Amino acid sequence: MLTVLGFVAAVAMFWHVKGRLEHHRELYGRGKVKAKLEAEEVETPAHGPCANDWQRVWTEKWAQKFQHKLEREQRRWERHAARAEQRWGVRLTPHVQAAAAAATAAAASVADATSETQALFRARKRAKAEVGFYIHLMSYLGTIGFLALINIMTTSYPWFLWPTLGWGIGIFSHYMAVFGRQQLRERYFEPAIEREVRREKVAMQTEKQASIDELSSTIAHEIRNPIAAAKSLVQQMGEDPTSVENVEYAKVALDELDRVERRISHLLRFAKEEDYSFEHVNLAAVVDAALTQLRAKLDAAKVSVARNYIGGPTVHADKEKLKQVFANVLDNAIDALEPVAEGRRIDLFIENGGRGAVVRMRDNGCGIPPDKIDRIFNPFFTTKDKGTGLGMAISRKILEAHEGSIDVVSEPGRGTEFAIALPLPQ
């Protein structure tokens, strides 16, 4: 009796799945998806899933190459326009803007075509997976029903249940691969990812707000203290205009006001977007120019400099801005060597390999404590009594404009090494 009921249930499931399969065939074979797929096949004929994969990878690859080429051409035209305007006073900005607009439009069209192709490919792949599962399920039900019929006609032992169970495990695995994975992703993984993204956003906003608060308090401290000192001195001068100390008070007040002016000028210099004049320069010549600029301070501090290079590669950079970066690092190295009694030394290296060049500046000074090494590029952070705390921040900003970077490694009591990396011209 149980065998007969199982057979009837299998036949009912068979007809139900057959109806679902016809529904899916009508949906994916006669609807809009089929029309789009046929249009795609007419434009770019493929021969099987491998050809579709190859076509998609090929389209993405050439779209990325085209985008990178357009970006390089845009940067080249911008630099050419800047050089032409500087040398001959000819403004090529409209042409550059037109070229940039054309490049952006072309890149957008390529990106749209690529995204549409990818969406269509995913839709086709999903449809094939669902139809394949229903075909598998129909084959399973038909075969098990046939085995059950044979079992009823031959013997009373329900031996057909064993292949039903084994194949049923395969059917369940196939269902989970087609439908269950998507349900698990939508119910568990995607919400978890969204929560993590929200948590990261909150953390970034909190860190950014903390940086703004710290910068605001530092600016207020750097400006308020000199102004308060100058105000106090001026008040003392007003209380006793005939005092012989008024001249000294006036000098100190002017020094404090000059200090405020320097802070504000450095802050404005850090905040504003400066114009860069890019040209091909020799990296070793720029480092040597920074050494020449600080030669008097090096001699006064009795610091020996070892140039561990003969020549240097050619980079596309603003010579004066790049010299300022090297001068800032050398100036900090000289100040760090002040506690050293003898044997003050700075080693310079220029490495050229791959697509970039690296300038290494190493000193045997006092080093930087581990709790401060992550803050040396923050605006207004300084360990000097008369420092503004903007030299290294400006240096990193200049290097970012050159598509370069600056890294530091330090050990307290043994010295510090700065590594300045710059890209080589393509």
Side-chain angles (χ1 to χ4, degrees):
M1 186 64 182
L2 294 177
T3 305
V4 174
L5 292 177
F7 177 73
V8 172
V11 172
M13 286 290 295
F14 175 80
W15 286 109
H16 173 72
V17 173
K18 181 179 180 182
R20 291 293 303 272
L21 180 60
E22 292 178 354
H23 172 72
H24 278 272
R25 283 179 177 176
E26 181 179 359
L27 177 62
Y28 293 104
R30 301 178 184 177
K32 297 181 179 180
V33 175
K34 182 178 179 181
K36 291 184 178 179
L37 297 179
E38 290 177 353
E40 182 189 13
E41 291 176 356
V42 171
E43 295 177 359
T44 55
H47 301 282
C50 295
N52 291 331
D53 294 340
W54 175 86
Q55 176 188 0
R56 178 173 59 85
V57 173
W58 182 88
T59 305
E60 293 177 356
K61 179 179 178 181
W62 282 100
Q64 293 176 358
K65 287 186 176 182
F66 186 63
Q67 175 71 16
H68 294 164
K69 182 178 180 181
L70 291 176
E71 291 176 356
R72 289 196 301 270
E73 290 294 328
Q74 181 180 352
R75 289 196 297 267
R76 184 176 67 84
W77 273 103
E78 288 176 354
R79 293 170 182 172
H80 178 67
R83 289 196 299 268
E85 182 177 355
Q86 181 183 4
R87 294 180 181 177
W88 303 294
V90 179
R91 295 185 62 86
L92 300 180
T93 304
H95 300 284
V96 175
Q97 292 179 350
T104 304
S109 63
V110 172
D112 292 340
T114 304
S115 61
E116 184 178 355
T117 303
Q118 293 176 356
L120 196 58
F121 175 79
R122 289 193 298 267
R124 172 184 287 181
K125 186 176 180 180
R126 180 67 182 176
K128 288 182 177 180
E130 293 183 3
V131 172
F133 168 75
Y134 285 115
I135 292 175
H136 186 190
L137 182 60
M138 286 184 59
S139 302
Y140 167 76
L141 294 176
T143 304
I144 295 302
F146 180 71
L147 293 178
L149 181 61
I150 295 177
N151 192 175
I152 293 172
M153 295 170 50
T154 56
T155 180
S156 60
Y157 178 75
W159 53 264
F160 80 98
L161 295 179
W162 297 109
T164 302
L165 179 62
W167 199 350
I169 295 175
I171 284 290
F172 178 75
S173 301
H174 194 175
Y175 173 82
M176 292 300 297
V178 176
F179 300 99
R181 181 176 57 184
Q182 183 178 2
Q183 295 177 1
L184 290 175
R185 184 174 65 251
E186 293 176 354
R187 179 171 296 184
Y188 298 104
F189 291 104
E190 291 183 356
I193 293 174
E194 291 178 359
R195 289 195 299 269
E196 188 66 25
V197 169
R198 286 197 299 268
R199 189 181 299 112
E200 291 292 334
K201 287 183 178 179
V202 171
M204 291 176 62
Q205 291 176 356
T206 304
E207 182 179 357
K208 184 177 180 180
Q209 184 64 37
S211 301
I212 294 175
D213 295 341
E214 182 181 0
L215 180 60
S216 302
S217 61
T218 305
I219 293 174
H221 176 76
E222 292 291 332
I223 295 178
R224 181 180 59 186
N225 289 352
I227 291 178
K231 180 181 178 181
S232 177
L233 293 171
V234 172
Q235 287 176 349
Q236 293 181 14
M237 293 171 60
E239 293 175 358
D240 189 5
T242 61
S243 176
V244 295
E245 297 179 348
N246 286 346
V247 176
E248 186 66 24
Y249 290 161
K251 291 181 180 179
V252 176
L254 289 175
D255 290 340
E256 293 296 327
L257 293 177
D258 288 340
R259 178 182 173 186
V260 174
E261 185 180 4
R262 288 197 303 271
R263 296 290 193 277
I264 295 176
S265 62
H266 280 80
L267 177 62
L268 293 176
R269 186 177 180 182
F270 172 75
K272 76 174 185 178
E273 294 293 335
E274 299 185 8
D275 295 330
Y276 289 85
S277 177
F278 289 92
E279 58 182 346
H280 290 289
V281 296
N282 185 270
L283 191 57
V286 180
V287 177
D288 293 339
L291 284 173
T292 303
Q293 179 179 339
L294 294 172
R295 178 56 59 187
K297 187 173 182 178
L298 288 167
D299 295 339
K302 297 181 180 180
V303 177
S304 62
V305 178
R307 297 169 64 253
N308 299 282
Y309 58 90
I310 300 177
T314 300
V315 296
H316 194 71
D318 188 316
K319 182 178 180 180
E320 294 300 323
K321 298 290 192 304
L322 203 57
K323 184 177 73 172
Q324 179 184 350
V325 173
F326 296 138
N328 286 338
V329 177
L330 288 172
D331 186 62
N332 290 336
I334 296 172
D335 294 335
L337 288 168
E338 184 177 355
V340 180
E342 58 183 8
R344 300 172 180 176
R345 181 184 180 89
I346 296 177
D347 294 312
L348 302 178
F349 304 87
I350 297 180
E351 301 174 359
N352 180 17
R355 297 184 177 181
V358 179
V359 178
R360 300 188 182 274
M361 298 184 173
R362 182 187 306 161
D363 64 72
N364 60 341
C366 60
I368 304 174
D371 59 334
K372 296 181 179 179
I373 194 169
D374 294 333
R375 302 172 57 194
I376 62 174
F377 297 106
N378 294 344
F380 294 106
F381 177 79
T382 180
T383 57
K384 304 178 185 178
D385 295 334
K386 298 182 180 180
T388 61
L390 287 172
M392 299 309 299
I394 293 175
S395 298
R396 186 172 67 173
K397 183 179 178 181
I398 292 174
L399 290 173
E400 288 176 352
H402 286 76
E403 298 181 1
S405 62
I406 179 170
D407 296 317
V408 57
V409 177
S410 182
E411 185 176 351
R414 301 192 63 179
T416 304
E417 178 179 316
F418 282 87
I420 300 170
L422 292 166
L424 295 176
Q426 297 296 327

